[in-house]
Amino acid sequence: MLPDLSPAVADALRTAFLRARYTPDGVRELLGAAAHAALGRGEPEPAHRAAAGAGELGVLVRLLLLGATEPDAAVAAALAPCSPTDASAAGLITRDGAGWRAAMDVRPYAEEDGPPWWVVSDLDARRQDRDHVTGVGAASLTLAAATVRSAAGTVLDLGTGCGVQALHATQHAGTVTGTDVAPRALATARATFALSGVDVELLEGPWLAPVAGRRFDRIVSNPPFVPGPARVDLVYRDSGAAGDDALAALVADLPRHLAPGGVAQLLGSWLHVRGEDWPDRVQSWLPPGIDAWILQREVADPALHVGTWQRDSGLDLAAPATRAQAGAWLDWLDSAGVEGIGFGMLTLRVPEHGPGTVVVEDLPGAVDDPLGPEVAGWLDRVDWLRAHAADADLLAARLAVAPGVVLERWAEPGEIGWAEAGASVARMDGPRWRHEVDEPGAALLAGCRGELPLGDVVELLAFAHDRSTDAVVAESLPAVRELVRHGLLVPRMSAAQ
Ligand SMILES: C[S@@+](CC[C@H](N)C(=O)[O-])C[C@H]1O[C@@H](n2cnc3c(N)ncnc32)[C@H](O)[C@@H]1O
């Protein structure tokens, strides 16, 4: 059965949820940090204990979050003014003996300082069904945290699933459109939006077909990106095309659907093929003229890749059928010469003016801060660098070392104590970009305080080291551009600050 909520049922349920405080804050307060964290790890017992004797909120937590069967009278009181029968007809709960249990997962969700939402998704019990609709998972949160949140006119969420990315988009977009190939996903997203009281246009169809001829200011997508043989065992995971072919086609097509200045952000996985550089592979997918920032977060070997995704779908890894599936998957990866599978984030922009900038790189480590502001900053900085592409313009700019950037030096044991072996400048925030610098480089950065034009700092450095200014310019400007792009050097009095 597909979820299907009339506006009246959605309103009544929202009334009940708000009254009982079945909201992100209410549930967090009821469970406490430890039980909340345990639930996130798939350990429900602490949450059951916290929800015991907790009135209507306890009933809703046990019924909708924890999969318990609750007595008819308790469910009727907790859901009022929605009757259990109406909630059941809407596909959210189902009869279980004399009581009720959940037919869908309905959980409170919000972004920081945002209104409460409720995300509908499939129960874990349906995890191996072909059209299983996933809830808010780690990948969903990764993309949501990496999304640029400045105001936008139109946003497209491609492969909306439970609707989580579209929910976030309603906070900063004029209009939001969600698409999905799976009717079950669309029905689930519709239920999410109805309960959350947000307006999202929903369209059915594969990839960009439902929005043919349309352009958006932003596109977000957590597509089925998991490389494997050409098959669809799980719609949320498998693209139906072999390897990373579907991502390649999507990346090639997306810019056609972006308005000038528009930005697409998506998660993706790409193959590391024997004898090939992965950045060349991903770069070859990009149409000419666009800005693209491809950030690789991690690389898995084939065994880890297959095991991770089989475990994710809840399979018994030792069962003969699972082993057969793993064998076919590994055989395919082997036949395609795949040595590793990269995972990361792609940001594409159709620049309003000038040639595009393409950067393909690895994230240096775990990122604690949300990546969204970093992506917004990167786009601004790329614009600034484009406007200062001529050496003369860059040399005329006043640059300052960004707050929170440190100079690190390291040393090795030497004949007479520690012998300095190198230095780097590093950001202590965001992705903690780190660049090695030599002594003249460190001296140049020491002079970047936003007071003098860069050209003057370079001249002083050339004089101090008895070098020609041209030689110092030729050596330092490429590095300066990299430092600006990574936000270690910031232009004074410019849009990129
Ligand atoms: C990984 S889930 C992401 C769901 C949700 N957007 C999120 O961030 O959690 C991928 C979604 O893409 C949908 N999908 C799969 N193949 C698709 C296709 N060819 N075109 C459009 N959507 C597709 C699936 O139904 C699923 O809802």
Side-chain angles (χ1 to χ4, degrees):
M1 175 178 185
L2 296 179
D4 184 8
L5 279 69
S6 69
V9 165
D11 284 351
L13 283 170
R14 195 166 50 249
T15 302
F17 292 167
L18 289 171
R19 184 193 61 238
R21 296 201 70 232
Y22 189 60
T23 58
D25 287 348
V27 170
R28 211 174 296 117
E29 279 166 30
L30 174 70
L31 299 187
H36 201 259
L39 193 57
R41 297 192 300 268
E43 302 155 13
E45 188 51 27
H48 274 286
R49 294 159 82 98
E56 289 177 359
L57 179 54
V59 172
L60 293 177
V61 165
R62 287 193 298 277
L63 178 74
L64 298 174
L65 266 188
L66 300 175
T69 297
E70 291 291 300
D72 182 54
V75 173
L79 292 184
C82 181
S83 70
T85 318
D86 282 349
S88 167
L92 298 186
I93 61 173
T94 186
R95 268 276 175 210
D96 188 9
W100 299 94
R101 63 179 163 78
M104 299 292 291
D105 188 302
V106 181
R107 61 183 61 207
Y109 183 70
E111 65 181 33
E112 213 177 310
D113 301 326
W117 295 318
W118 293 272
V119 175
V120 181
S121 63
D122 269 323
L123 298 174
D124 260 1
R126 281 192 93 253
R127 193 130 189 102
Q128 276 143 42
D129 290 9
R130 188 178 185 279
D131 61 354
H132 174 84
V133 181
T134 50
V136 181
S140 330
L141 294 172
T142 297
L143 179 60
T147 305
V148 174
R149 297 272 170 227
S150 55
T154 51
V155 175
L156 168 67
D157 172 17
L158 192 160
T160 194
C162 63
V164 52
Q165 309 301 336
L167 276 181
H168 284 287
T170 60
Q171 289 293 91
H172 63 273
T175 61
V176 182
T177 301
T179 64
D180 209 290
V181 76
R184 186 170 181 84
L186 287 168
T188 307
R190 196 167 289 116
T192 293
F193 304 144
L195 275 181
S196 302
V198 301
D199 189 22
V200 176
E201 175 191 33
L202 279 170
L203 302 171
E204 182 179 333
W207 307 115
L208 290 152
V211 292
R214 288 174 63 177
R215 289 179 184 269
F216 297 85
D217 297 316
R218 304 274 169 76
I219 300 177
V220 286
S221 185
N222 172 9
F225 60 74
V226 180
R231 47 103 172 94
V232 179
D233 290 340
L234 295 167
V235 182
Y236 72 82
R237 184 191 69 187
D238 307 322
S239 68
D244 49 16
D245 288 356
L247 182 64
L250 182 59
V251 164
D253 219 14
L254 272 172
R256 248 196 297 278
H257 294 271
L258 286 173
V263 176
Q265 291 186 268
L266 60 158
L267 298 180
S269 262
W270 36 84
L271 303 179
H272 289 220
V273 176
R274 202 169 300 125
E276 184 183 274
D277 273 344
W278 75 267
D280 292 346
R281 180 181 186 85
V282 180
Q283 221 162 316
S284 74
W285 303 339
L286 303 169
I290 65 165
D291 290 331
W293 193 22
I294 316 297
L295 267 181
Q296 180 167 268
R297 292 181 73 112
E298 56 200 50
V299 185
D301 62 59
L304 178 61
H305 172 73
V306 172
T308 300
W309 286 105
Q310 285 199 315
R311 190 174 286 109
D312 180 78
S313 63
L315 291 171
D316 169 5
L317 300 193
T322 314
R323 285 188 52 203
Q325 186 195 61
W329 201 334
L330 288 167
D331 282 348
W332 184 88
L333 290 167
D334 197 37
S335 70
V338 176
E339 294 175 322
I341 297 94
F343 165 75
M345 220 200 52
L346 305 94
T347 300
L348 314 176
R349 174 172 62 179
V350 175
E352 283 179 87
H353 317 283
T357 298
V358 174
V359 177
V360 184
E361 61 192 341
D362 283 286
L363 261 180
V367 186
D368 300 328
D369 303 328
L371 209 50
E374 187 66 21
V375 175
W378 187 88
L379 292 166
D380 286 346
R381 297 192 292 262
V382 162
D383 270 341
W384 188 90
L385 284 167
R386 194 170 10 240
H388 296 75
D391 286 356
D393 291 334
L394 188 55
L395 289 166
R398 290 174 163 77
L399 298 171
V401 173
V405 169
V406 297
L407 177 73
E408 301 171 330
R409 295 186 188 278
W410 58 92
E412 293 166 348
E415 296 281 303
I416 50 163
W418 292 104
E420 192 153 308
S424 62
V425 280
R427 269 178 62 184
M428 293 288 105
D429 61 351
R432 280 138 176 85
W433 299 112
R434 169 176 273 103
H435 291 243
E436 286 199 25
V437 286
D438 55 16
E439 276 315 310
L444 178 76
L445 289 172
C448 286
R449 293 197 290 271
E451 290 154 10
L452 295 176
L454 179 65
D456 291 3
V457 181
V458 167
E459 256 181 51
L460 288 171
L461 189 72
F463 180 75
H465 288 258
D466 200 15
R467 312 243 345 251
S468 85
T469 306
D470 286 351
V472 179
V473 165
E475 263 170 32
S476 50
L477 289 206
V480 165
R481 289 197 168 89
E482 287 303 306
L483 292 167
V484 170
R485 206 177 345 262
H486 276 163
L488 288 94
L489 274 178
V490 290
R492 275 284 153 87
M493 309 300 293
S494 85
Q497 278 190 70

